[in-house]
């Protein structure tokens, strides 16, 4: 339970970062959203044994972080926190794919290890860019961007409402857990019956709250449609941002920068 | 200005499960009046309040807001003139940012974007909360939330303000600020509260509800001196009228209690 | 289990996105047309409730471990399938964006796996059939348990298929299935029990809530069936179209998933996985790989220059030019350094 509490703290921290002020912060959320999607799509489009060609893509999150003035180590920590999942699935690859694919001097590398590194790299890039997107934009603005990009209004409203009441309900649940653990003298288990009654109460309170919110909405003229003002504008800055990055991604996709650079250097050395 | 009148005539309300929460209440509140609605928990205050903006429709009797009689059909007209501030600001502030929240009502009224923005700024200015306009509601303090909740209602330019426990969960300073703010409003005010001291400060008139019935309706000061009536209705004399048991002997007749009082 | 961006191919991710997007707009329309506007705040707080509910654990008897509520099923019971699907989708979106659970490309897969099966299969076809319009405590428990298990088994199966189609992970189908299904049987039982506990409580305390919820969801079986067929069809079509697009332009983006092949750089990619899986390639030295660590790579890098021609000669299977790989690593490290430098320069400029 402490886990979720701290996660909540991080939601807060990410949103706080989004209130910063930089060229990239001030861009229309749609520009960042689309670019990040293209980025992720390009990264995962590489073959599964690709490692070196993925490396140049790190430039996207890195540039966003530095220009946006985001705390690199904090974000890195967030990414690494979820890394075990990709790691455990990826680490199985070397067991199933043992064909030697690369010899580095006396060391032979199997396809499994290469694809494992590839998985980890993809993971770092995709997860990293998603976190950077939020830290640079904020959830509210991302939702507004989604709405302008044609995501159905009920779903956008749902996201906003969920986000609004996340903190309220987690608070309520924490109070409940605290009250329970004080009276059970911190004994560890919870019987399913107690569990049902705790969650059941929380559910009933939630339903009552929904009713009160509905009342509050009705009092202010709610007629089934939630209207939003989204002051979004695509200007030349946004256009340059999207086009520039997408061009870079595609050229990095088709022109293997790392390999050409490496070959060039090695030819000179040899 | 007759359209600021609130008039209830023999109001009855029965919930679908059969509970009769309001049993024949009548009163008339005229323009500019400030009225406190007091009563013990479960007396029927909230149910009564929910009629005032048409969320509940009386099962019997009638309620008139200005010239409009409350029916299912003209609920919208009623809601335009009655602004309701809820007990839990978390219920009232449901939008992602303070701006969106205050803009919610004006947008539903069909105002243009410029007008909405002007309304929002003006309402937040009135309650002194313009500096939090971009913040999400969950980051506000209790007092700030309450002020913003009032702004959401003010942005709709209501004639009548209905408030449910506006001073609950506020620290003493925030409470004092709120009372000051409400004093400055010239709307017709109907305030349901347990905070009798606030009632004394804000409302010249008080209505007492007990068990779904109206048991008293008179000048606040007179009413709060009638201890037997207060006790019957599950209430107690406001602290400010109890005298100080530190410096005077009057305290003996009350339950021993600590009163923070500086001399 | 959440799918991750790192494990799926663009085709799989794209196809599931298409299917999920279709479902979201379909459900949005349904919710909009449903004139009950109390649902709007209700869905919002219910989504938050799912987060909060996951903080509260119960002890699984005789195991010492603990379980919590997943969400899809209880949402369906309270909100009906359409609103429930939107709600679970919103929960997963927030998780993907803030907690990096899964990822953005895999979001389609995750919403489908954790939303579609409980909301559109387990709930209408199992729970409703068992609990019916006149639920009893026993019926609720049986219904929750069976549909909880069914929903998660289908979800797990779907994860396996998506992983398999993506071809990034090397796990053989049977191994993966044998791993996933029993785990998700346990998770399904937990989900069923947790759901049952809450629903029974609500049933005892305020039965009218369950009644109104089941009435407010006017779904005949026909409608659900159409939904299921429609969206499975949509997924298959988009998947097919995307892979056709991929295979028709082999020089373009190597959308390699359809053939579960390796990358384009491999000279002989198409059937290598199957051979690897069939265990023919036993000749490989597995142990040396164990000792392999990244620092070793750094150390050997310099030496490799001279050795490159030799390595290039011996074509290991499947043929990869070791020379290009090494230069890839060298160049990659350099570009990474370059990227970091660019970052620093930009930062300097700013301040």
């Amino acid at each position: 339970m402490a886990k979720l509490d701290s996660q909540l703290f991080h939601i807060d921290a990410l949103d706080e970062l989004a209130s910063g002020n930089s060229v990239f912060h001030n861009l229309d959320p749609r520009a960042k959203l689309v670019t990040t999607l293209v980025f992720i799509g390009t990264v995962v489009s590489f073959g599964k044994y690709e490692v070196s060609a993925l490396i140049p893509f790190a430039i996207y999150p890195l540039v966003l972080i530095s220009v946006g003035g985001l705390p690199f180590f904090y974000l890195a920590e967030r990414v690494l926190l979820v890394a075990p999942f990709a790691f455990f699935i990826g680490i199985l690859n070397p067991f199933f794919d043992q064909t030697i694919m690369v010899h580095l001097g006396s060391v032979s590398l199997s396809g499994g290890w290469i694809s494992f590194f590839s998985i980890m790299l993809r993971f770092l890039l995709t997860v990293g860019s998603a976190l950077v997107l939020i830290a640079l934009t904020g959830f509210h603005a991302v939702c507004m961007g989604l709405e302008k990009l044609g995501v159905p209004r009920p779903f956008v409203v749902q996201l906003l409402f969920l986000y609004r009441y996340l903190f309220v309900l987690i608070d309520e649940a924490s109070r409940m857990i605290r009250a329970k653990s004080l009276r059970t003298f911190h004994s560890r288990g919870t019987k399913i019956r107690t569990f049902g009654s705790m969650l059941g109460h929380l559910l009933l309170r939630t339903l009552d709250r929904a009713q009160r919110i509905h009342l509050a909405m009705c009092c202010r003229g709610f007629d089934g449609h939630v209207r939003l003002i989204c002051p979004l504008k695509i200007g030349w800055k946004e256009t340059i941002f999207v086009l520039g990055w997408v061009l870079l991604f595609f050229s990095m996709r088709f022109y293997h920068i790392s390999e050409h650079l490496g070959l060039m250097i090695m030819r000179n050395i040899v | 200005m007759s359209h600021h009148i609130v008039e209830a005539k023999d109001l009855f309300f029965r919930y679908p499960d059969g509970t009769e929460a309001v049993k024949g209440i009548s009163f008339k509140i005229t323009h500019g009046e400030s009225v406190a609605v007091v009563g013990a928990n479960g007396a029927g205050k909230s149910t009564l309040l929910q009629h005032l903006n048409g969320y509940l429709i009386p099962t019997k009797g009638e309620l008139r807001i200005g010239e409009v009689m409350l029916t299912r059909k003209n609920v919208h007209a009623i809601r335009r003139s009655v602004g309701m501030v809820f007990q839990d600001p978390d219920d009232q502030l449901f939008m992602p940012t303070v701006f969106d929240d205050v803009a919610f009502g004006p947008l539903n009224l069909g105002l243009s974007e410029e007008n909405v923005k002007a309304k929002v700024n003006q309402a937040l200015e009135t309650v002194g909360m313009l500096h939090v306009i971009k913040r999400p509601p969950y980051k506000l303090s209790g007092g700030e939330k309450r002020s913003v909740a009032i702004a959401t209602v003010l942005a709709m330019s209501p004639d009548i303000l209905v408030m449910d426990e506006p001073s609950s969960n506020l620290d003493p300073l925030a409470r004092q600020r709120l009372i000051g703010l409400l004093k400055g409003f010239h709307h017709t005010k109907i305030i349901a509260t347990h905070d009798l001291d606030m009632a004394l400060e804000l409302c010249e008139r008080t209505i007492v509800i007990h068990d779904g019935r109206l048991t008293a309706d008179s000048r606040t000061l007179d009413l709060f001196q009638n201890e037997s009536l207060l006790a019957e209705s599950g209430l107690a004399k406001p602290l400010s009228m109890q005298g100080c048991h530190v410096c005077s002997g009057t305290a003996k007749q009350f339950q021993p209690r600590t009163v923070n009082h500086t001399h | 289990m959440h799918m991750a961006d790192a494990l799926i191919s663009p085709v799989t991710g794209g196809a599931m996105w298409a299917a999920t997007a279709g479902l979201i707009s379909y459900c949005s329309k349904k919710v909009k047309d449903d004139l009950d506007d109390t649902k709007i705040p209700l869905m919002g707080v219910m989504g938050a409730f799912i987060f909060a509910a996951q903080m509260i654990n119960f002890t699984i008897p005789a195991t010492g471990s603990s379980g919590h509520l997943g969400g899809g099923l209880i949402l369906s019971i309270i909100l009906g399938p359409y609103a429930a699907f939107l709600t679970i989708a919103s929960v997963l979106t927030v998780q993907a964006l803030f907690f990096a659970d899964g990822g953005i490309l895999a979001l389609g897969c995750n919403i489908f796996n954790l939303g579609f099966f409980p909301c559109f299969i387990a709930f209408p076809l199992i729970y409703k059939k068992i609990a019916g319009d006149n639920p009893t405590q026993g019926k609720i428990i049986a219904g929750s348990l069976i549909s909880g298990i069914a929903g998660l088994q289908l979800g797990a199966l779907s994860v396996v298929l998506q992983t398999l189609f993506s071809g990034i992970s090397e796990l053989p189908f049977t191994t993966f299935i044998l791993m996933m299904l029993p785990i998700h049987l346990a998770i399904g039982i937990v989900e069923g029990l947790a759901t049952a506990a809450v629903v029974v409580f609500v049933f005892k305390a305020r039965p009218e809530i369950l009644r109104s919820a089941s009435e407010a969801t006017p779904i005949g079986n026909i409608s659900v069936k159409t939904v299921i067929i429609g969206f499975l069809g949509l997924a298959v079509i988009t998947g097919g179209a995307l892979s056709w697009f991929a295979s028709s332009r082999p020089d373009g983006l190597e959308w390699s998933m359809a053939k579960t092949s390796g990358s384009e750089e491999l000279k002989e990619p198409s059937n290598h996985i199957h051979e690897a899986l069939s265990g023919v390639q036993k000749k490989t030295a597995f142990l040396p790989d164990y000792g392999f660590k990244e620092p070793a790579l750094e150390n050997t890098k310099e030496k490799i220059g001279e050795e490159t021609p030799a390595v290039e000669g011996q074509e290991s299977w499947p043929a990869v030019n070791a020379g290009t790989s090494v230069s890839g690593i060298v160049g990659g490290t350099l570009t990474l350094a370059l990227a970091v430098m660019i970052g620093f320069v930009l930062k300097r400029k700013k301040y």
Side-chain angles (χ1 to χ4, degrees):
Chain A
M1 61 177 125
K3 196 179 138 228
L4 208 71
D5 264 346
S6 69
Q7 287 200 334
L8 210 66
F9 169 74
H10 288 296
I11 292 193
D12 218 42
L14 279 178
D15 246 11
E16 202 61 54
L17 290 177
S19 62
N21 197 9
S22 76
V23 193
F24 288 168
H25 275 98
N26 300 335
L27 285 177
D28 186 299
R30 282 172 289 181
K32 291 180 264 186
L33 210 58
V34 168
T35 313
T36 305
L37 282 179
V38 174
F39 174 79
I40 291 173
T42 320
V43 165
V44 297
S45 76
F46 279 101
K48 71 170 170 185
Y49 293 116
E50 195 52 72
V51 176
S52 55
L54 285 170
I55 294 173
F57 281 86
I59 192 164
Y60 177 62
L62 286 177
V63 165
L64 292 197
I65 286 173
S66 66
V67 174
L70 303 176
F72 174 80
F73 289 103
Y74 173 75
L75 291 174
E77 190 196 318
R78 298 300 302 156
V79 172
L80 290 180
L81 222 64
V82 276
F85 172 73
F87 181 84
F88 283 123
I89 293 292
I91 198 69
L92 293 167
N93 276 5
F95 292 89
F96 290 102
D97 182 2
Q98 302 183 1
T99 45
I100 300 296
M101 284 179 61
V102 178
H103 296 276
L104 297 170
S106 56
V107 184
S108 306
L109 258 187
S110 73
W113 279 109
I114 295 177
S115 59
F116 166 69
F117 286 127
S118 178
I119 286 179
M120 291 316 288
L121 213 53
R122 281 157 205 269
F123 164 79
L124 290 178
L125 290 172
T126 52
V127 168
S129 64
L131 273 181
V132 169
L133 169 74
I134 278 290
L136 216 49
T137 317
F139 190 69
H140 177 228
V142 167
C143 289
M144 293 302 179
L146 287 175
E147 137 97 347
K148 288 268 172 161
L149 285 172
V151 171
R153 174 66 64 86
F155 187 59
V156 174
V157 169
Q158 164 63 18
L159 284 172
L160 293 174
F161 264 96
L162 162 68
Y163 193 62
R164 168 66 185 90
Y165 284 99
L166 198 56
F167 299 90
V168 176
L169 279 185
I170 297 235
D171 241 28
E172 232 171 275
S174 316
R175 285 201 300 271
M176 225 170 198
I177 293 168
R178 214 174 302 136
K180 185 228 143 209
S181 61
L182 283 175
R183 281 187 295 163
T184 49
F185 305 101
H186 296 282
S187 83
R188 292 197 40 197
T190 306
K191 283 194 192 124
I192 184 117
R193 191 181 289 273
T194 321
F195 168 83
S197 142
M198 278 173 81
L199 263 197
H201 271 129
L202 187 62
L203 179 64
L204 292 184
R205 279 198 223 164
T206 307
L207 297 176
D208 287 344
R209 184 182 290 280
Q211 208 177 5
R212 292 197 304 272
I213 297 167
H214 181 244
L215 170 62
M217 294 171 80
C218 287
C219 283
R220 287 193 272 149
F222 177 59
D223 54 3
H225 300 279
V226 177
R227 296 167 180 84
L228 299 165
I229 291 185
C230 352
L232 301 184
K233 224 169 112 190
I234 297 280
W236 57 270
K237 274 186 192 162
E238 281 80 9
T239 320
I240 291 175
F241 182 85
V242 176
L243 284 182
W245 281 116
V246 169
L247 268 176
L248 181 67
F249 298 156
F250 282 1
S251 50
M252 290 196 294
R253 179 66 185 81
F254 296 112
Y255 182 81
H256 202 323
I257 295 183
S258 311
E259 203 169 289
H260 286 275
L261 200 66
L263 272 179
M264 211 169 73
I265 290 168
M266 294 203 351
R267 221 174 271 138
N268 289 336
I269 294 174
V270 175
Chain B
M1 292 178 70
S2 60
H3 61 278
H4 296 176
I5 288 176
V6 180
E7 188 176 10
K9 270 189 199 157
D10 206 21
L11 214 61
F12 277 87
F13 185 79
R14 186 198 297 269
Y15 279 103
D17 66 357
T19 321
E20 197 147 58
V22 175
K23 306 168 186 167
I25 289 183
S26 305
F27 57 81
K28 184 173 176 180
I29 295 169
T30 53
H31 173 63
E33 258 192 299
S34 222
V35 180
V37 178
V38 301
N41 290 330
K45 294 191 304 282
S46 293
T47 312
L48 178 65
L49 247 52
Q50 287 179 17
H51 283 84
L52 297 181
N53 59 15
Y55 191 73
L56 298 177
I57 307 286
T59 36
K60 217 175 97 192
E62 57 185 53
L63 181 73
R64 205 180 282 277
I65 310 280
E67 264 101 73
V68 187
M69 172 127 101
L70 173 65
T71 57
R72 244 166 238 298
K73 276 182 204 153
N74 54 26
V75 163
H76 283 288
I78 298 251
R79 282 179 188 158
R80 263 175 182 249
S81 55
V82 179
M84 181 125 182
V85 181
F86 288 79
Q87 182 173 358
D88 183 353
D90 271 329
D91 295 339
Q92 184 140 19
L93 306 176
F94 43 79
M95 295 295 278
T97 66
V98 168
F99 173 84
D100 287 313
D101 222 304
V102 183
F104 183 85
L107 277 173
N108 285 335
L109 291 178
L111 301 183
S112 73
E113 247 176 63
E114 267 81 75
N115 270 337
V116 170
K117 279 177 193 162
K119 284 260 181 201
V120 171
N121 281 322
Q122 195 193 338
L124 284 173
E125 182 113 60
T126 310
V127 299
M129 284 292 131
L130 205 51
H131 59 287
V132 298
I133 188 163
K134 279 187 176 167
R135 308 198 70 190
Y138 68 84
K139 290 209 175 158
L140 305 180
S141 73
E144 287 172 330
K145 276 186 196 171
R146 189 81 57 168
S147 300
V148 173
I150 292 172
T152 64
V153 169
L154 290 183
M156 299 192 65
S157 324
D159 304 315
I160 300 158
L161 279 179
V162 177
M163 280 177 258
D164 195 355
E165 293 290 358
S167 63
S168 61
N169 292 327
L170 292 187
D171 58 52
L173 204 65
R175 175 179 168 277
Q176 212 47 53
R177 233 193 115 253
L178 175 93
I179 292 175
L181 180 70
L182 293 181
K183 263 187 185 165
F185 291 166
H186 300 294
H187 304 78
T188 304
K189 290 187 282 274
I190 301 174
I191 303 173
T193 187
H194 288 313
D195 184 349
L196 300 191
D197 289 287
M198 181 185 69
L200 200 59
E201 232 178 299
L202 277 178
C203 311
E204 61 271 23
R205 177 178 162 197
T206 294
I207 290 174
V208 181
I209 310 267
H210 184 60
D211 193 22
R213 288 190 185 83
L214 193 147
T215 50
D217 179 355
S218 69
R219 271 188 64 230
T220 306
L221 200 59
D222 301 344
L223 205 148
F224 286 171
Q225 272 158 353
N226 187 345
E227 275 170 41
S228 59
L229 174 78
L230 288 177
E232 268 169 39
S233 308
L235 300 167
K237 211 173 184 182
L239 291 179
S240 52
M241 288 172 70
Q242 283 181 13
C244 173
H245 68 262
V246 178
C247 54
S248 70
T250 49
K252 277 176 209 151
Q253 63 204 80
F254 299 103
Q255 297 286 321
R257 66 202 300 178
T258 352
V259 180
N260 283 331
H261 199 131
T262 42
H263 294 274
Chain C
M1 169 180 139
H2 285 89
M3 270 302 258
D5 275 0
L7 300 178
I8 58 171
S9 65
V11 179
T12 317
M16 296 319 289
W17 255 60
T20 302
L23 274 169
I24 285 179
S25 30
Y26 178 76
C27 291
S28 296
K29 200 181 161 325
K30 275 280 175 190
V31 169
K32 222 193 233 163
D33 292 348
D34 183 5
L35 286 173
D36 181 14
D37 58 25
T38 54
K39 276 259 175 76
I40 292 171
L42 182 57
M43 284 161 60
V45 288
M46 281 305 289
F49 169 79
I50 295 300
F51 270 97
Q54 295 187 346
M55 295 169 72
I56 300 176
N57 294 291
F58 67 92
T59 317
I60 300 164
T63 59
S65 52
S66 63
H68 63 71
L69 196 66
L73 189 57
I74 186 111
L75 287 175
S76 303
I77 294 171
I78 300 290
L79 296 168
Y82 303 112
F85 185 80
L86 285 187
T87 309
I88 195 91
S90 69
V91 169
L92 291 167
T93 307
V94 169
Q95 283 178 342
L97 286 175
F98 283 97
F99 306 146
D101 247 351
I104 293 181
L105 186 69
L107 187 57
C109 295
N110 285 325
I111 292 177
F112 195 83
N113 299 344
L114 297 170
F116 179 78
F117 295 111
C119 298
F120 290 108
I121 297 198
F123 172 72
L125 302 182
I126 301 173
Y127 182 85
K128 276 203 107 179
K129 291 274 188 298
I130 295 175
D133 291 330
N134 290 311
T136 61
Q137 188 170 337
K139 282 183 190 171
I140 290 173
I141 294 175
S144 310
L145 207 56
I146 298 174
S147 40
I149 294 169
L152 272 144
Q153 289 290 301
L154 287 168
L157 183 66
S158 179
V159 168
V160 172
L161 290 176
Q162 286 157 1
T163 313
L164 193 75
F165 279 133
S166 297
I168 307 284
S169 168
E170 292 286 351
L171 277 171
F173 178 72
T174 40
T175 318
F176 203 9
I177 275 280
L178 287 176
M179 209 170 81
M180 290 287 281
L181 292 191
I183 295 174
H184 283 79
L185 180 66
I187 300 177
I189 293 172
V190 168
E191 169 78 350
L193 283 177
T195 307
V198 179
V199 178
V200 164
F201 177 88
V202 173
F203 174 66
K204 281 182 181 163
R206 300 243 298 262
E208 77 277 1
I209 287 171
L210 296 182
R211 219 175 298 129
S212 69
S214 79
E215 277 163 10
T217 54
I219 38 152
N221 286 337
I222 309 149
S223 149
V224 171
K225 255 182 213 154
T226 340
V227 173
I228 294 169
I229 295 167
F231 288 106
L232 282 181
L234 187 64
V236 170
I237 291 166
T238 22
L242 281 174
S243 15
W244 171 82
F245 171 76
S247 58
S248 69
R249 38 180 69 217
D251 297 330
L253 297 174
E254 317 109 2
W255 310 79
S256 48
M257 156 268 162
K259 289 178 250 164
T260 50
S261 73
S263 83
E264 198 93 317
E265 276 73 28
L266 299 175
K267 301 269 158 27
E268 195 190 321
S270 53
N271 55 356
H272 118 86
I273 283 178
H274 303 126
E275 287 181 37
L277 297 189
S278 60
V280 177
Q281 307 295 331
K282 287 287 177 197
K283 57 167 184 168
T284 49
F286 184 65
L287 278 176
D289 289 346
Y290 256 145
F292 180 81
K293 277 182 191 123
E294 234 173 327
L297 180 110
E298 304 285 331
N299 295 338
T300 43
K301 218 161 33 190
E302 287 90 61
K303 294 191 241 163
I304 288 158
E306 308 119 49
E307 289 180 38
T308 313
V311 179
E312 230 164 353
Q314 40 168 270
E315 295 256 296
S316 65
W317 188 97
V320 164
N321 188 327
T324 44
S325 306
V326 172
S327 50
I329 294 168
V330 175
T333 320
L334 268 171
T335 30
L336 183 64
L338 212 65
V340 174
M341 255 165 57
I342 292 174
F344 266 109
V345 169
L346 286 170
K347 196 164 189 146
R348 283 269 163 74
K349 249 188 196 167
K350 207 190 141 222
Y351 296 110

